[in-house]
Amino acid sequence: MILLLIVLVLTLQLKAKPVDTTASVDAEKKLRGFQHIIQELSAENAELKERSESLEEEITLLKEVRSASDDWLQADSVGGQAA
């Protein structure tokens, strides 16, 4: 998000100031570089969100299995004492 703001500010600065062609070309290259970085970070962020959601689901399932296992062990322990 911060990089997006930086790119926006640079874009506005480029449009606001008349500059020579070389400086303008250099600024445009930097701007494209920032845009590329933002795209890569956005893609990586999406992948990390998916991975995080997957891990959260896995944790929920493991908790359910553990709870069921604990319940089974407790029932088995109570049944073993009665015998």
Side-chain angles (χ1 to χ4, degrees):
M1 186 58 127
I2 292 173
L3 289 175
L4 185 59
L5 291 174
I6 291 171
V7 170
L8 181 60
V9 168
L10 288 174
T11 302
L12 292 174
Q13 287 178 349
L14 287 175
K15 291 181 180 180
K17 297 178 183 177
V19 292
D20 64 69
T21 306
T22 305
S24 178
V25 169
D26 290 344
E28 287 179 19
K29 286 180 183 179
K30 288 180 182 179
L31 186 59
R32 282 193 300 271
F34 284 131
Q35 289 171 337
H36 180 71
I37 291 169
I38 290 170
Q39 289 173 345
E40 286 181 356
L41 291 173
S42 294
E44 183 179 353
N45 188 44
E47 290 174 15
L48 290 172
K49 280 183 180 180
E50 287 178 21
R51 179 80 171 128
S52 175
E53 290 170 1
S54 175
L55 289 171
E56 286 174 2
E57 289 175 15
E58 186 174 344
I59 288 170
T60 300
L61 291 173
L62 288 171
K63 285 179 179 179
E64 290 174 9
V65 167
R66 182 175 182 187
S67 177
S69 175
D70 288 347
D71 291 347
W72 181 81
L73 288 172
Q74 186 177 15
D76 189 46
S77 174
V78 170
Q81 291 176 359

